[in-house]
Amino acid sequence: MNQASSLIPDRYEPAAVEARWYPEWERRGYFRADPDGPGQPFSIVIPPPNVTGSLHWGHALNNTLQDVLIRMKRMDGFNTLWVPGTDHASIAVHVILERQLEAEGRTRYELGREVFLERAWKWKEESGGTIIRQLKRLGASCDWSRERFTMDPGLARAVREAFVRLYDEGLIYRGDYIVNWCPRCQTVLSDLEVEREERDAEFVYIKYGPLTLGTVRPETKLGDTGLAVHPNDKRYAQYVGQTLRIPSVDGEIEIRVVADEAVDPEFGTGVIKVTPGHDPVDFEIGRRHDLPVRTVIGFDGKMTAEAGAYAGLDRFECRKRIVADLQALGLIDRIEPYRHSVGLCYRCKTVLEPLVSKQWYVNVKPLADVARAAVRERRVNIIPRSWSKTYYHWMDNIRPWCISRQLWWGHRIPAWYCEADGSVHVSRADLTACPTCGGPVRQDPDVLDTWFSSGLWPFSTLGWPDDTPELRTYYPTSVLVTGYDILFFWVARMVMLGAHLMKEVPFRDVYLNTLVRDAEGQKMSKSKGNVVDPLGVMDQYGTDAFRFTLAGVAAAGVRDVRISEERIEASRNFANKLWNASRLVLSNLDGYEPGRKTKGARPLPDRWIRSRLAATIRAVRTHLGRYRFNDAASAVYQFVWHDFCDWYLEMAKISLYRASDPAERGRTQDTLVAVLETTLRLLHPFMPFITEEIWQRLPAHGDSIMIAPYPKVARGQADAGAEREMALIMDTVTAIRNIRGEMRISPATTLGVTVRPAPEHAPVLAGATALVETLARAQLSLDPAASRPAGSALAVVGGSELYVRLEGVVDLTAERARLTKEIARADEAIRFLETKLAKPEFVERAPAEVVEREREKLAGQQEVRTKLSASLAWIGEGAR
RNA sequence: GGACGAUUAGCUCAGUUGGCAGAGCGCUGGCCUCACAUGCCAGAGGUCACUGGUUCAAGUCCAGUAUCGUCCACCA
């Protein structure tokens, strides 16, 4: 073995390499953006991970894709910026901290707001730190000098600015409506934060005097302030407008019957009870018919004083009691099993209670119209496009956005209430006294929905509301890469707020990446316990292998992907393959002088591999431009493994080890270095660490591959002639190897092969005898007039025939079997092609080149068939 | 109730404008050939879920069916 290769380990060891390069890149300032720097801007803001622990595979995928794009663009000469940061995740952090407190036997109320917030900040520091470390470990080339957190002072200012502006424009208002209340979290939730789940329930038919109606929530009976039927329902027309006096669990009650379109006469009995205090539909009906709101369930999920004898009971306990009591009073008609969906808190899964309360809202309808148009007019491109329909549907059916939360961790609502005159003041600056009467003021205790601040992220991180160089250079950002699960939560809000407050959309492209599932197709989540720590995977297989795997599964248009360990192993092997190919190159560079002009025409293999490289570069660029990360990754993979390693390196060895002419060796070294160096640059965005490590070991490298140019195809590099000629050589080699394999001939045996070349093949084969001989382990003799020697196997490559001498090597039984199989295969192809070409419509209507191609194929197959069957007959005789 | 997605090799999945069905893993046979056994060479393996339609030509376009999945939705 060569000295150089013995110095480099034969297995790629990622740990040391990764630990060395990341800090070095950071130290040299490669990640840092300069708004005044040269090049077209290309910017990305990170979807800020929640500070709720550590990163999972979805984050790893999402950030790998962003890093691939940003590294590629940086190398390509763009003025790149990737803004990193984290999200305070108001309610999610509450849930975590409250669970911790619960374990200590305490509640947040016992702790008090101030102490709770201290804990929250401490949690944020820990979790945020973990996340940042993980991102760095992943190789993410973010500009850390611009790291942001959604509760940074600057972003807090942006939040206030946005709130005040929207309030002044009348788009933010306060009002009493029915809301989704989580009795555990003790806060309101927006409609989007309600998760639905099918549950089995009882559909209880209760007698209301002369009427009977079904309900799944008998406990809300206590809050009934009306009954409703459909206006066209003749069955009940006589009762509409009447006030009925009917027996109930709390004695005789009076209840008014109204007619409302919301009632479906086909469902149940066609009569519903109206409980405006505890049902969104009933709330609306109540408003239309002026029915009073009676709140019988409180914020704690227990029955209120209004519930009379039932006060203090848990709502579900109350349900059972009411049913029992109705039963006793003979007021239950019947009970049927029923399956329906209930609303759950998206964070803690508690069954929500619809309640009436005073909250802050954004009237998003006007913003939605603008946001809709932005996509419709392609100012924002959603990729894959099919998601735009979902986006439109949501925008079209949008309802007011409830933005207040009865939580402590988050942006406090910038509204102050005067205790003296009751006035409300929304302000950019903190208020200490009432601007109208000078009396004492009290700030609204609530905080904003987390998504309000993340909705401002693309411009708040760039300095808004100030007019900064960053905003001017990098806004709108180039692309947003995120999961489709937060299309409404986040993407839609950013488009609405960006278009409204900045008068310009926040990003040009939205690439919605797939969601990552485990090998069983389960969504990875902590509650399922199937979360595999990405750090462990990176430890085991290396970051580059992990990233390459992630990029490899990111196909456009795919919703979910499963990732298995085998896949990462394959990528690890790929990294190792590249490492060893480089070892081969590096250990054969003695006498090589970088930059020296090589003399003489480039040999075929060199022209071929450069042409293949050109095609690969073109493919990678095209695929990345369309966010087809998997296709880009696979193009490089195929090139490196199969073109470069399997074929080119094997051919290069011939001139490296046995060149008769030193210039020939120099030419090969030149191509080896050039192709490897370019390949490393091409691959760098996917596998940043290993490519840098190898690149640094190559002669005449620059400072860092990170800032080297991204490969472009040189003029004249694509060489169709070389590709065609090499295809012939490769087919010839494969044909001989095929016979060796089928005949079970040892690779150690050199085969004697006589070639009878087709006239057009003759010069190519004559010029590549040494190649074929080495690669196929054969001794070749070319003879245009050759006839089949006795005891030989036949292979047909295009119009050329190969006779492989088997005499004394094996008997011909295997050859007969092989030929029979080949003939059958040819027959099938011939039958298919003949049928096709026999159809006049095909010959007339199909493009000429398609028809011509099929004709040639048929002729070729027929020729092969003739030769094969002649050969079979010949063997039959020979064997006799 | 709507909308969207999936169904292709044993497994996991690509397949762009309709024009020669692919990859990785696994499997079979042979190889420790001086970069790599995390490897090399060769091979087997397909009714592209089903039914119908459009077309010279359909995995690809259209209609429908089945199964699985996701999202949205105020039928209590």
Side-chain angles (χ1 to χ4, degrees):
Chain A
M1 191 188 278
N2 237 298
Q3 216 185 2
S5 62
S6 63
L7 292 175
I8 311 172
D10 65 356
R11 286 197 181 186
Y12 172 58
E13 301 292 347
V17 172
E18 290 166 16
R20 182 162 67 248
W21 283 113
Y22 195 89
E24 184 59 22
W25 290 330
E26 202 178 354
R27 193 184 63 76
R28 296 193 201 168
Y30 292 157
F31 302 157
R32 243 190 305 256
D34 174 9
D36 300 318
Q40 263 196 329
F42 182 88
S43 54
I44 300 180
V45 290
I46 199 171
N50 288 346
V51 285
T52 47
S54 53
L55 297 188
H56 53 72
W57 288 45
H59 293 112
L61 168 68
N62 177 250
N63 287 294
T64 294
L65 300 184
Q66 293 176 77
D67 198 44
V68 168
L69 292 173
I70 210 91
R71 280 180 187 268
M72 188 268 190
K73 292 291 182 180
R74 187 184 292 119
M75 291 174 77
D76 217 16
F78 285 78
N79 179 346
T80 51
L81 166 65
W82 185 11
V83 181
T86 47
D87 194 299
H88 66 281
S90 176
I91 189 167
V93 167
H94 265 263
V95 170
I96 291 170
L97 293 185
E98 282 164 20
R99 283 208 182 116
Q100 289 180 357
L101 288 173
E102 203 180 319
E104 298 167 19
R106 297 198 280 178
T107 69
R108 79 181 210 229
Y109 304 101
E110 288 168 37
L111 232 61
R113 188 165 191 142
E114 219 163 292
V115 179
F116 182 84
L117 286 179
E118 272 169 31
R119 273 179 95 125
W121 276 105
K122 190 158 160 276
W123 169 265
K124 179 265 164 185
E125 293 306 329
E126 284 168 20
S127 171
T130 305
I131 290 165
I132 300 308
R133 272 196 305 281
Q134 283 177 304
L135 284 172
K136 290 185 174 183
R137 183 66 205 288
L138 189 65
S141 60
C142 308
D143 184 348
W144 297 108
S145 70
R146 295 168 197 278
E147 184 189 335
R148 297 289 183 268
F149 175 58
T150 47
M151 281 170 67
D152 283 345
L155 277 74
R157 203 155 67 84
V159 164
R160 284 223 179 158
E161 179 69 26
F163 191 97
V164 173
R165 274 202 213 176
L166 293 170
Y167 179 79
D168 288 345
E169 291 167 325
L171 291 171
I172 284 184
Y173 58 92
R174 199 164 171 243
D176 281 298
Y177 297 96
I178 194 146
V179 297
N180 312 294
W181 183 267
C182 175
R184 198 221 62 84
C185 296
Q186 287 291 299
T187 182
V188 65
L189 296 172
S190 71
D191 295 335
L192 260 188
E193 291 168 308
V194 179
E195 212 165 75
R196 302 221 155 247
E197 191 179 289
E198 289 266 302
R199 294 258 174 106
D200 285 315
E202 287 182 338
F203 201 54
V204 184
Y205 285 88
I206 305 172
K207 292 178 193 158
Y208 276 67
L211 304 174
T212 297
L213 59 84
T215 178
V216 286
R217 301 201 56 197
E219 72 280 16
T220 61
K221 180 180 195 343
L222 302 167
D224 290 348
T225 53
L227 296 177
V229 298
H230 193 270
N232 299 339
D233 197 330
K234 295 196 179 71
R235 292 174 293 177
Y236 305 117
Q238 49 169 317
Y239 299 108
V240 172
Q242 284 189 27
T243 297
L244 305 175
R245 292 182 64 86
I246 56 170
S248 183
V249 282
D250 41 357
E252 188 149 286
I253 58 167
E254 285 191 1
I255 199 156
R256 187 149 65 89
V257 181
V258 301
D260 196 281
E261 298 277 350
V263 183
D264 178 2
E266 306 294 320
F267 189 87
T269 57
V271 184
I272 64 168
K273 60 192 212 55
V274 184
T275 320
H278 297 287
D279 185 282
V281 179
D282 294 7
F283 182 78
E284 296 298 327
I285 295 175
R287 288 220 149 179
R288 285 195 284 272
H289 301 279
D290 215 19
L291 298 171
V293 171
R294 190 188 299 162
T295 301
V296 293
I297 301 171
F299 292 120
D300 54 0
K302 293 193 168 80
M303 307 310 288
T304 64
E306 284 272 330
Y310 301 92
L313 272 182
D314 173 77
R315 53 191 166 145
F316 298 116
E317 192 53 38
C318 179
R319 179 180 302 175
K320 289 181 199 155
R321 285 273 294 274
I322 295 254
V323 172
D325 291 350
L326 286 169
Q327 201 83 264
L329 291 168
L331 293 176
I332 296 215
D333 183 74
R334 62 191 187 280
I335 296 177
E336 291 171 355
Y338 187 63
R339 199 167 168 77
H340 72 144
S341 78
V342 297
L344 306 177
C345 170
Y346 81 137
R347 287 298 169 194
C348 73
K349 314 296 177 195
T350 301
V351 176
L352 298 175
E353 187 59 44
L355 283 173
V356 177
S357 76
K358 195 182 278 292
Q359 303 290 343
W360 288 93
Y361 291 87
V362 181
N363 175 15
V364 275
K365 186 75 188 134
L367 309 187
D369 292 340
V370 177
R372 187 186 206 290
V375 172
R376 173 71 68 197
E377 292 158 13
R378 299 279 164 85
R379 280 178 284 126
V380 171
N381 292 298
I382 298 181
I383 301 149
R385 175 140 295 140
S386 53
W387 282 106
S388 354
K389 196 168 176 182
T390 313
Y391 173 91
Y392 293 141
H393 184 259
W394 191 70
M395 287 295 182
D396 290 344
N397 296 288
I398 203 158
R399 290 160 57 195
W401 175 17
C402 178
I403 51 169
S404 45
R405 296 289 181 279
Q406 286 63 52
L407 302 170
W408 293 341
W409 174 241
H411 291 281
R412 193 129 168 215
I413 289 172
W416 283 263
Y417 307 108
C418 174
E419 285 164 12
D421 64 9
S423 57
V424 179
H425 303 278
V426 166
S427 164
R428 287 178 178 85
D430 285 357
L431 295 183
T432 48
C434 175
T436 39
C437 75
V441 289
R442 186 174 43 82
Q443 188 176 1
D444 194 304
D446 294 348
V447 299
L448 286 166
D449 180 2
T450 303
W451 299 102
F452 189 86
S453 54
S454 20
L456 311 173
W457 186 251
F459 41 101
S460 63
T461 52
L462 297 177
W464 188 84
D466 293 333
D467 180 23
T468 62
E470 283 79 5
L471 266 181
R472 283 195 297 270
T473 303
Y474 298 116
Y475 190 91
T477 61
S478 309
V479 57
L480 176 81
V481 182
T482 191
Y484 64 79
D485 53 334
I486 51 176
L487 178 62
F488 304 140
F489 276 116
W490 192 44
V491 180
R493 264 87 177 255
M494 281 190 288
V495 178
M496 292 194 293
L497 292 171
H500 185 75
L501 295 167
M502 295 292 296
K503 307 284 171 233
E504 172 66 290
V505 296
F507 25 71
R508 298 289 175 216
D509 287 352
V510 177
Y511 174 71
L512 295 171
N513 63 243
T514 61
L515 297 189
V516 179
R517 292 168 186 274
D518 68 8
E520 275 71 52
Q522 297 287 307
K523 189 169 174 177
M524 285 195 191
S525 70
K526 270 175 237 159
S527 53
K528 286 202 179 86
N530 61 348
V531 177
V532 182
D533 181 10
L535 284 177
V537 175
M538 288 188 267
D539 285 341
Q540 193 179 351
Y541 297 100
T543 298
D544 288 324
F546 187 45
R547 289 172 55 119
F548 196 75
T549 306
L550 292 169
V553 299
V558 177
R559 295 210 154 186
D560 302 327
V561 293
R562 305 176 183 203
I563 297 188
S564 61
E565 201 152 321
E566 287 79 32
R567 242 181 130 138
I568 305 167
E569 212 172 293
S571 300
R572 190 260 328 252
N573 294 352
F574 176 61
N576 197 55
K577 188 76 178 172
L578 179 69
W579 181 256
N580 274 292
S582 307
R583 235 159 47 95
L584 174 67
V585 174
L586 289 169
S587 60
N588 283 288
L589 292 184
D590 47 297
Y592 169 73
E593 291 168 35
R596 177 190 56 192
K597 282 265 183 285
T598 50
K599 287 179 197 155
R602 273 197 191 128
L604 175 60
D606 292 33
R607 283 186 286 128
W608 172 77
I609 194 68
R610 286 171 190 264
S611 181
R612 292 303 310 139
L613 175 61
T616 308
I617 293 170
R618 199 165 286 152
V620 169
R621 279 186 171 272
T622 306
H623 293 317
L624 282 184
R626 295 180 186 164
Y627 304 101
R628 304 185 68 96
F629 298 91
N630 61 326
D631 288 335
S634 135
V636 194
Y637 181 97
Q638 294 298 323
F639 172 76
V640 169
W641 200 304
H642 300 300
D643 292 340
F644 189 62
C645 293
D646 288 351
W647 287 99
Y648 184 72
L649 290 184
E650 293 306 315
M651 295 188 285
K653 282 176 186 172
I654 300 167
S655 74
L656 286 179
Y657 298 157
R658 326 189 293 246
S660 46
D661 172 13
E664 186 192 332
R665 188 154 194 271
R667 276 196 299 270
T668 300
Q669 289 173 326
D670 196 47
T671 301
L672 281 171
V673 172
V675 171
L676 177 59
E677 193 272 342
T678 309
T679 304
L680 291 171
R681 281 185 284 125
L682 189 64
L683 194 52
H684 175 76
F686 299 90
M687 305 183 113
F689 295 106
I690 191 176
T691 51
E692 177 78 290
E693 179 69 17
I694 298 169
W695 197 77
Q696 293 285 339
R697 292 170 188 247
L698 287 176
H701 57 79
D703 288 340
S704 166
I705 195 171
M706 251 198 82
I707 52 167
Y710 204 65
K712 284 193 174 81
V713 177
R715 185 180 292 274
Q717 198 182 334
D719 188 338
E723 299 226 15
R724 211 164 37 239
E725 290 179 18
M726 261 307 293
L728 172 64
I729 310 289
M730 290 158 79
D731 286 349
T732 305
V733 169
T734 304
I736 299 170
R737 284 174 175 171
N738 184 343
I739 287 170
R740 184 191 294 279
E742 296 269 340
M743 306 291 158
R744 308 242 194 293
I745 300 167
S746 154
T749 309
T750 300
L751 294 171
V753 179
T754 302
V755 182
R756 181 177 159 168
E760 70 274 19
H761 291 169
V764 179
L765 289 170
T769 315
L771 279 184
V772 177
E773 289 190 326
T774 310
L775 297 176
R777 216 33 94 124
Q779 199 165 31
L780 223 58
S781 60
L782 257 66
D783 180 2
S787 58
R788 180 90 178 268
S792 64
L794 171 76
V796 181
V797 176
S800 302
E801 292 179 36
L802 309 178
Y803 311 127
V804 180
R805 215 164 303 130
L806 299 176
E807 195 94 73
V809 181
V810 290
D811 73 52
L812 289 172
T813 321
E815 170 68 353
R816 268 199 297 277
R818 188 180 69 87
L819 287 172
T820 310
K821 205 165 69 187
E822 297 278 321
I823 289 167
R825 191 177 289 172
D827 278 339
E828 199 179 331
I830 289 166
R831 216 169 23 248
F832 174 75
L833 289 164
E834 276 177 348
T835 317
K836 196 166 180 183
L837 283 161
K839 281 161 81 176
E841 302 92 332
F842 171 68
V843 180
E844 285 157 22
R845 309 278 290 271
E849 67 266 23
V850 173
V851 177
E852 190 47 37
R853 198 170 60 214
E854 301 291 272
R855 282 222 174 90
E856 276 170 21
K857 234 156 60 183
L858 178 61
Q861 287 295 330
Q862 281 167 335
E863 197 180 337
V864 167
R865 201 217 178 273
T866 311
K867 286 176 178 167
L868 290 171
S869 55
S871 172
L872 185 60
W874 181 84
I875 287 179
E877 284 165 31
R880 201 172 294 141

